[in-house]
Each structure stands twice: as C-alpha cells, then as structure tokens.
C-alpha cells in the first residue's frame, strides 16, 4: 500500500520585464490609411465592383484589426501584457500605445499611495494596552509580482501594515520614565525606521516598496489612560522635588561657606543647624515665607 503524503508546492515567483509593444501614433497613421483606402474602394464599387469590393474588404479588416489594439498610458502607469495567461512583459512607455489584439493587458498604477491604518489596540512590551495607528506611503515597483504573485495586492498591503504595526507596538514599551530604554513615544525616528524595515520585508513578495512611514496616533488605551496620567504627574512632581532639593542644598552650602570665609558671624553646631533648617524651608517651600524677628537668642 502506497501512502500519499502531502506535497507543498512553492510559490512561483514572477519578475517584471519589458514587453514588446508598438507606438500607437504609427498605428494611428495605418488606421487612417485604412479609412482612406475604404473610402476609395467604396467609390470604385460602381465602375469596378470586383476591385472596389476587394479594397473595401481589406480596408475593413485592417481597420478592425488595428482599432482593437490601442491603449493609453499616463505617467507612472504600466500595462502588464499576457498571452493566454502567460506573462509576456510590462509596458511603461507613456502616451498612445498599440499591441496585438489577441494579447491580454491589465493596467497597473505605480504611483505613490498614502494610507493611514485604523487605530489598533496592542499590548506593549510591558503588557500595557495602547492605541496605535500608522501612516504609510507605498508604491508598486514590480508589476509582475503585484499582479501574479498576490491575489489582491491592495488588500495584502492593508493586512501587512496592520501586522507590522502590531509587531512593532509589542516590541517596545510605550514610555520609560527613567529614559534608559527605546520607547514608542520617545524614539519616533528609530521606531519608524524599524517599522519601515518590517514592512519592506513583508511586502517584498508583492513587489511593493515603502517610501515613508510613521505613527499618526499613539496613546494609552482609555481603560488605563487615567491611571497612567496620574502616574506621570506623580513622577513629574517627584522629579521636580528632587531638582529643587538638590539646588537648595547647593545654595545652603554656598551660604555657609561664604559666611565662614568672610567671618561674618561665628556659628556653632546648633546655630548652623538652625540656619540650615530655615534656609531649606525658605528655598523649598511652595508658599511665601513669613519672617519672624527674634528679639532674644537661640538659647532663650
């Protein structure tokens, strides 16, 4: 008994090449000549029916044959040519063109396309749900791959952009308050370049390149946005306090050093501690200080 195993057939990769087409303006002259010959043949039908009929018949056949092969290409458009399903090449010459009537053809735009993805909810590297959307500028570079290697290359681009955005969004944290890691919010250029490399690798099979990409929307998901905002505010307050205390300590040290250097006043340990306490209150307090006049001494 012979067991039949599953056979995986690899994708047949296509590659764009130039097609053999003709200038439509030359064939337009032939078409006009056929019209003129037909009119001349029609004028001969009364005097020379056999000659006139033959000329008219040939003129009609030539007219129908030539008129079926015209097509026009605008700048940054291409025409893929096929013969009974077999790829024959791509014409990128602009203007009026002509090809044999039995050849199939399909027009493909190679212009730049701008796309903004939908807002996707993704868990970042630390598991926090975030909302993310990207803007991508893409274009077709290989018409054969776009038409014959992918069923619908425009739908393929949409799906691959979504997959790439999810991959990059899960690869990095949204933010790092210690500024020691690459983050989605703080490293736009680096993360955008990595997103472009991810898209190029995914869209290569479709003959599509990416000229530019970047994030258009990046935020915490609504269910945790409030908590993360309070966390940011608290960390900002702590950081501000640390800076304020560090500056106040430096000013107190400078004040004590100048008093000792210029012999303005002799301070023992207790008076030095009192002065440090008063200066720290004045420098670190959030409200205006109220001076108190001491008419006695520190020891009474």
């Amino acid at each position: 008994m012979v067991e039949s195993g599953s056979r995986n057939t690899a994708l047949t990769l296509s590659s764009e090449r130039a097609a053999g087409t003709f200038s439509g303006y030359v064939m337009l002259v032939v078409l006009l000549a056929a019209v003129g010959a037909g009119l001349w043949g029609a004028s001969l039908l009364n005097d020379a029916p056999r000659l006139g009929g033959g000329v008219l018949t040939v003129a009609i056949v030539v007219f129908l044959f030539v008129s079926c092969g015209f097509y026009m290409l605008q700048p940054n458009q291409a025409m893929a040519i096929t013969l009974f399903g077999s790829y024959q090449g791509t014409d990128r010459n602009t203007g009026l063109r002509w090809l044999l009537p039995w050849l199939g053809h399909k027009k493909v735009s190679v212009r730049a396309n701008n796309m903004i993805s939908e807002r996707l909810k993704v868990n970042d590297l630390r598991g926090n749900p975030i909302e993310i959307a990207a803007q991508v500028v893409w274009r077709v570079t290989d018409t054969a791959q776009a038409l014959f290697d992918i069923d619908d290359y425009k739908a393929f681009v949409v799906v691959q952009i979504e997959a790439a955005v999810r991959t990059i969004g899960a690869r990095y944290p949204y933010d790092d308050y210690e500024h020691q890691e690459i983050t989605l919010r703080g490293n736009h250029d680096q993360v955008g370049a990595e997103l472009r490399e991810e898209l190029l690798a995914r869209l290569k099979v479709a003959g599509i390149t990416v000229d530019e990409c970047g994030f258009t929307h990046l935020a915490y998901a609504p269910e945790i946005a409030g908590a993360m905002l309070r966390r940011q505010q608290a960390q900002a307050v702590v950081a501000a306090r640390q800076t304020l205390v560090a500056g106040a300590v430096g000013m107190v040290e400078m004040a004590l050093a100048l008093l000792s250097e210029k012999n303005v006043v002799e301070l023992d340990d207790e008076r030095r501690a009192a002065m440090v306490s008063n200066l720290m209150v004045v420098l670190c307090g959030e409200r205006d200080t109220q001076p108190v006049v001491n008419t006695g001494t520190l020891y009474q």
Side-chain angles (χ1 to χ4, degrees):
M1 179 177 180
V2 180
E3 296 182 358
S4 59
S6 60
R7 184 176 64 180
N8 295 325
T9 304
L11 177 67
T12 302
L13 297 179
S14 304
S15 180
E16 181 180 320
R17 61 179 183 270
T21 58
F22 306 93
S23 172
Y25 302 103
V26 175
M27 301 307 296
L28 183 61
V29 173
V30 176
L31 185 69
L32 294 176
V35 172
L39 294 176
W40 179 63
S43 66
L44 296 176
L45 289 176
N46 293 329
D47 299 333
R50 183 173 298 179
L51 176 61
V55 172
L56 183 60
T57 301
V58 172
I60 292 175
V61 171
V62 172
F63 179 84
L64 295 177
F65 177 80
V66 173
S67 61
C68 293
F70 286 105
Y71 64 92
M72 185 174 293
L73 287 179
Q74 296 180 358
N76 292 316
Q77 284 186 332
M79 186 71 75
I81 312 299
T82 59
L83 175 62
F84 306 120
S86 176
Y87 174 64
Q88 300 297 307
T90 298
D91 184 14
R92 287 178 177 259
N93 298 301
T94 58
L96 186 63
R97 306 293 298 168
W98 187 89
L99 78 166
L100 296 172
W102 53 79
L103 293 175
H105 54 280
K106 184 173 184 180
K107 189 176 294 185
V108 182
S109 174
V110 292
R111 298 168 179 170
N113 295 270
N114 186 43
M115 176 186 172
I116 298 179
S117 68
E118 296 182 357
R119 294 185 180 182
L120 306 174
K121 183 176 288 187
V122 184
N123 290 334
D124 69 355
L125 183 63
R126 294 173 181 165
N128 297 319
I130 61 175
E131 290 183 345
I132 188 170
Q135 172 263 342
V136 179
V137 178
W138 62 273
R139 56 188 172 87
V140 175
T141 56
D142 192 307
T143 57
Q145 286 185 302
L147 289 177
F148 306 118
D149 292 354
I150 302 298
D151 186 52
D152 185 346
Y153 67 90
K154 292 184 178 180
F156 182 79
V157 170
V158 174
V159 174
Q160 293 305 319
I161 288 176
E162 178 178 342
V165 170
R166 289 186 180 276
T167 299
I168 299 299
R171 188 174 297 173
Y172 298 103
Y174 174 84
D175 204 353
D176 176 29
Y177 301 102
E178 297 180 355
H179 304 289
Q180 296 179 353
E181 296 182 79
I182 298 175
T183 62
L184 299 173
R185 190 177 71 89
N187 302 88
H188 295 287
D189 294 339
Q190 184 173 348
V191 176
E194 190 163 343
L195 174 61
R196 181 174 180 270
E197 294 297 326
E198 182 75 18
L199 285 171
L200 287 173
R202 291 175 176 270
L203 298 176
K204 182 179 180 181
V205 67
I208 294 172
T209 189
V210 176
D211 295 327
E212 179 186 348
C213 63
F215 294 117
T216 59
H217 177 77
L218 184 64
Y220 282 114
E223 57 266 26
I224 66 166
M228 289 301 177
L229 178 60
R230 289 192 295 271
R231 177 183 176 182
Q232 291 177 357
Q233 292 173 341
Q235 291 180 332
V237 170
V238 170
R241 288 291 185 181
Q242 289 176 345
T243 303
L244 184 62
V245 170
V249 170
M251 294 177 67
V252 170
E253 290 179 348
M254 181 179 65
L256 294 176
L258 289 175
L259 289 174
S260 300
E261 180 181 350
K262 296 184 178 182
N263 296 321
V264 176
V265 62
E266 293 290 337
L267 299 175
D268 57 16
D269 292 341
E270 186 175 354
R271 292 180 178 180
R272 184 183 297 271
M275 177 173 286
V276 170
S277 176
N278 292 335
L279 287 175
M280 291 297 294
V281 170
V282 171
L283 295 174
C284 296
E286 295 183 355
R287 294 180 297 177
D288 295 336
T289 57
Q290 300 294 328
V292 177
V293 178
N294 186 8
T295 58
T297 67
L298 293 174
Y299 304 104
Q300 295 180 356

